């Protein structure tokens, strides 16, 4: 065994970096879309990097996966049909399937290798892949959403990499129009929306594109996520109309365990600090 | 001008690192206590490092300074006498002095060079140093607290570096006993309490020492802080008895501006995620 060394991700758009002390490289594959690397770290379990960007660690992925799923599912009155675009590590799928009312959850990631790597190195995230309600597709999410039957979905979760490379087309009006059409009137679109500290412009731009596609109500929820730049991340929810009151009692009485999400945390995440609120709400 | 390069802090206890893209080193001084370095960064303004550890950046220090001060000052019924132990960059002092009811705020940092460096490279943090209510001492905080008149203080804020080196003595029963004695019955002790994600053991240990010194009620408030390990940080409040209800209306009606703190954010920070609450409250 070699001595531990450090693996950094320099995040150029924000001029900041995140790093982990690693023991060794466990795996690497160059898929048709991107390079996926797996490292063993000294304190964070395994790490997955895609094209050099930290995607997840064993230790802290619960923050992201819980916040990408439960706020939306407890905001919708009765979510049954869920589609996840991206999300190849299967962690969001696992959280979605914890909701007993969900009848079907489709995960559509363009890169099968992400899921194969997750099965090997993050098996706990894949433990619901055999659920009869789960359907794993390895296909183009843009084409999948464009082909969805109108008004057939309750929730669309866009669990993608940053808006460069394969995921670029998941952050524009054309894609959001497909989501809008596929969602029922009370449906919810959720997307990871980067760091509210340094990338507020991106959140505003994303909301602008969603608005052009017909969405009229937005909610951005911040949460801690150490493996992403600045350690502070967010998801943004969009609806065709209406607000974001959530089923607080159902969330408090939920039949499954979560480590970060709770009814209280959901309510608390709705309170944006002044410097974020001023930019998003002006 | 040289090309930008990257400056990392490897945080050994958590096996994680934080880094910034820097333009150049602006200053460096070896004080009798520690090495202080100042860098200019491309996106975060100036950085201060002490013995290689990131202390603050121009861009994100408001998160820490606001959360180290306002929650305690809006929890106390009428804070007049405040002491800050450490805090040599003067950012916490500036926030404390925003409260018109504060009659006197003493900042006692062992290292005068921290303040001299802040005056040069973070002048905005020092803009209240000339306030007639401010008193800047450069002395041993442990000795200062031990010599304080009993029952003379409303708030003690321990704004120190990590519990190694010069700050080690600020995390134990003996020091907390001095704080306990110096505080009035309704007084509040506040201390930065590291990352709730990776250093829960340290928070528990700190609470244990505070309890041995006589404190009976505790509150840990998490907040984002990109320049500290994991990007998620916390402060811990301790009282002799009673709870942590706060002057919510006063906070909502406050006469000064804040960028992160608000009455809503204060309330939201009180909601701990399950994985933190389970450890701290068991």
């Amino acid at each position: 065994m070699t001595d531990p060394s450090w693996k950094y991700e320099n995040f150029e758009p924000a001029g900041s970096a995140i790093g982990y002390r690693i023991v060794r490289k466990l795996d690497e594959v160059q898929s048709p879309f991107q390079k996926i690397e797996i490292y063993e770290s000294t304190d964070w379990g395994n790490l997955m990097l895609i094209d050099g960007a930290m995607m997840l660690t064993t230790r802290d992925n619960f923050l992201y996966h819980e916040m990408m799923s439960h706020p939306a599912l407890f905001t919708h009155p009765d979510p049954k049909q869920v589609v996840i675009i991206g999300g190849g590590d299967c962690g969001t799928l696992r959280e979605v399937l914890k909701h007993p009312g969900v009848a079907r959850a489709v995960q559509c990631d363009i890169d099968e290798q992400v899921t194969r790597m997750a099965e090997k190195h993050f098996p706990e995230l894949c433990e619901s892949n055999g659920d009869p309600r789960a359907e794993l597709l390895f296909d183009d999410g843009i084409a999948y959403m464009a082909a969805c039957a109108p008004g057939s979905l309750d929730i669309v979760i866009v669990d993608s990499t940053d808006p460069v490379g394969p995921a670029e087309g998941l952050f524009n009006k054309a894609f959001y129009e497909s989501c809008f059409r596929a969602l029922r009137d009370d449906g919810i679109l959720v997307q990871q929306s980067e760091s509210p500290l340094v990338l507020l412009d991106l959140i505003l731009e994303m909301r602008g594109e969603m608005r052009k596609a017909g969405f009229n109500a937005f909610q951005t929820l911040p949460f801690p996520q150490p493996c992403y730049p600045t350690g502070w991340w967010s998801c943004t929810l969009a609806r065709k109309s209406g607000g974001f009151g959530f089923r607080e009692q159902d969330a408090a009485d939920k039949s499954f365990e979560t480590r970060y999400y709770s009814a209280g945390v959901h309510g608390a995440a709705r309170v944006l600090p002044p410097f974020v609120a001023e930019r998003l709400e002006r």
Side-chain angles (χ1 to χ4, degrees), chain A:
Chain A
M1 198 171 96
T2 52
D3 282 342
S5 61
W6 291 82
K7 179 84 187 161
Y8 304 106
E9 176 195 354
N10 295 339
F11 186 65
E12 299 289 345
S16 68
I18 298 280
Y20 291 99
R21 188 172 50 208
I22 58 165
V23 179
R24 60 194 170 115
K25 184 181 275 198
L26 293 174
D27 218 335
E28 178 180 325
V29 63
Q30 175 67 53
S31 81
F33 307 99
Q34 49 208 357
K35 185 165 102 174
I36 308 165
E37 296 167 278
I38 310 287
Y39 291 87
E40 179 186 337
S41 74
T42 56
D43 292 72
W44 295 78
N46 293 340
L47 316 178
M48 180 188 287
L49 278 77
I50 293 187
D51 289 341
M54 300 280 175
M55 285 296 117
L56 66 142
T57 83
T58 303
R59 184 171 179 178
D60 77 358
N61 76 78
F62 70 97
L63 299 160
Y64 176 85
H65 288 134
E66 292 184 10
M67 290 302 284
M68 285 294 288
S69 51
H70 304 308
L73 273 85
F74 279 121
T75 296
H76 191 283
D78 185 20
K80 292 193 183 322
Q81 302 291 332
V82 180
V83 166
I84 300 158
I85 299 297
D89 60 48
C90 306
T92 298
L93 178 67
R94 182 183 69 163
E95 296 304 315
V96 165
L97 290 168
K98 287 180 177 174
H99 291 254
V102 167
R104 182 162 170 265
V106 175
Q107 173 190 302
C108 180
D109 196 301
I110 201 165
D111 194 346
E112 180 170 354
Q113 289 306 317
V114 175
T115 301
R116 297 299 158 240
M117 286 296 208
E119 287 167 341
K120 267 172 85 175
H121 302 291
F122 302 88
E124 69 282 7
L125 300 184
C126 300
E127 62 190 18
S128 300
N129 290 6
D131 188 306
R133 300 171 296 160
E135 185 174 345
L136 274 69
L137 303 177
F138 301 108
D139 215 334
D140 177 6
I142 297 171
Y144 180 83
M145 284 311 305
C148 268
S152 62
L153 301 178
D154 299 310
I155 309 249
V156 175
I157 301 176
V158 188
D159 178 3
S160 75
T161 50
D162 295 338
V164 288
E168 200 175 351
L170 302 176
F171 287 79
N172 62 36
K173 173 168 170 274
F175 173 68
Y176 296 141
E177 280 173 341
S178 298
C179 296
F180 188 89
R181 194 172 48 244
L183 284 166
R184 297 201 175 90
D185 285 349
D186 59 359
I188 301 175
L189 170 67
V190 198
Q191 186 160 24
Q192 71 89 357
S193 49
E194 311 271 320
S195 170
L197 187 59
V198 293
L199 296 171
L200 271 171
D201 287 342
L202 186 139
I203 301 176
L204 284 168
E205 202 179 313
M206 176 189 293
R207 284 183 174 207
E209 294 292 298
M210 289 172 169
R211 196 180 290 278
K212 283 189 223 160
F215 291 99
N216 260 311
F218 306 95
Q219 181 181 53
T220 296
L221 302 174
F223 52 90
Q225 184 55 60
C227 78
Y228 293 163
T230 80
W232 202 35
W233 214 246
S234 69
C235 61
T236 293
L237 282 65
R239 304 193 82 160
K240 298 185 180 190
S241 63
F244 291 93
F246 70 106
R247 295 182 287 119
E248 196 168 348
Q249 196 57 50
D250 290 351
D253 297 341
K254 67 187 164 49
S255 58
F256 52 87
E257 292 218 343
T258 45
R259 294 175 63 203
Y260 183 75
Y261 180 86
S262 70
V265 164
H266 187 160
R270 297 158 57 97
V271 182
L272 295 177
F275 85 101
V276 176
E278 280 159 20
R279 286 294 305 283
L280 293 184
E281 287 155 19
R282 74 179 173 190

